[in-house]
Amino acid sequence: MTMQNVVAIPANPALVNSTEDFLRAVSHGGNGAEAFITMVDRLTDRMLGLFLLEPAEMAQISSGQRKVIDFAVTTASKASHMLTRQIYKKTTNAEFAPIVRNVEAMYWPAGDDNDQQAQISFPVDAAFADDFRRAADACLAGRGQEEVTLVTRVMDQLNDAILDNIFVAQTRLVKIGFVTQKALNVGIEGSRKAVRAVNAKVLRGLSNEELKLFMRHYGQIIKQR
């Protein structure tokens, strides 16, 4: 079987449990809609932590910048919860079938092939994987500031890929009303802009040593599966 480049996001226990609960609920005639809404809430928490809160912890940011990040996290979390409930609350277990296939493909249970760390994964093309590895190598070699434009670009692309593959892809598999679709588009765009703003602000202010720490945090997110 050919290995492929994937983004692999370490799943915390809350995300593992909610993912398995959703798959179990649909296969055993449980309340798939409520289980999926909970799972997306846990996914949202994990992504906001990974891409907004954790980078902020690594950087020497002002209290004003911290307030902006906290506001972005709170706003995105509330918007995601509200929209997720609006989109999926009436979805039947039968209608969840294509989403179940997506979730099963993305969920990478803990095992020998991923260092016993459950992950949420999806394929990425070779060009992106190569750019990300180049950025990671530069940071780890102490040349992050020289390559900060590349680092910022790959982190923006990574965020876009996660939004599209983990969140937006599922919404295309169910019927959504015009008003909800419009609200979803605004919410997704707002999330993209928030993370890009944080990347631009945080990354360009980091020293080579801080960029090394930053990439140690993210460096293993591209794997072969």
Side-chain angles (χ1 to χ4, degrees), residues 25-92:
V26 175
S27 65
H28 289 77
N31 191 333
E34 282 302 321
F36 187 71
I37 290 164
T38 300
M39 187 193 100
V40 176
D41 284 347
R42 300 292 171 269
L43 266 169
T44 302
D45 292 344
R46 183 72 187 105
M47 298 312 158
L48 290 173
L50 190 66
F51 290 100
L52 287 172
L53 294 174
E54 291 168 24
E57 296 297 330
M58 288 179 234
Q60 301 296 313
I61 61 172
S62 69
S63 59
Q65 289 170 328
R66 181 67 206 217
K67 280 179 187 165
V68 169
I69 290 172
D70 288 344
F71 178 74
V73 167
T74 303
T75 304
S77 184
K78 284 180 182 170
S80 173
H81 178 71
M82 185 188 71
L83 282 164
T84 302
R85 180 158 290 283
Q86 187 67 32
I87 292 166
Y88 299 105
K89 64 184 175 183
K90 293 181 180 173
T91 305
T92 66

Side-chain angles (χ1 to χ4, degrees), residues 11 23 33 38 43 55 119 121 127 129 146 155 157 170 174 176 190 206:
L23 295 173
T38 300
L43 266 169
Q119 287 159 340
S121 74
E146 287 172 46
M155 290 307 295
Q157 288 174 327
Q170 318 314 326
V174 290
I176 302 179
L206 296 184

Side-chain angles (χ1 to χ4, degrees), residues 130-142 150-151 154 211-212 215-216 218-220:
D130 289 347
D131 281 350
F132 191 91
R133 290 188 184 108
R134 275 198 303 122
D137 289 346
C139 289
L140 296 172
L150 173 64
V151 176
V154 297
L211 282 164
K212 194 181 284 188
M215 259 315 168
R216 275 197 198 129
Y218 292 112
Q220 296 304 306

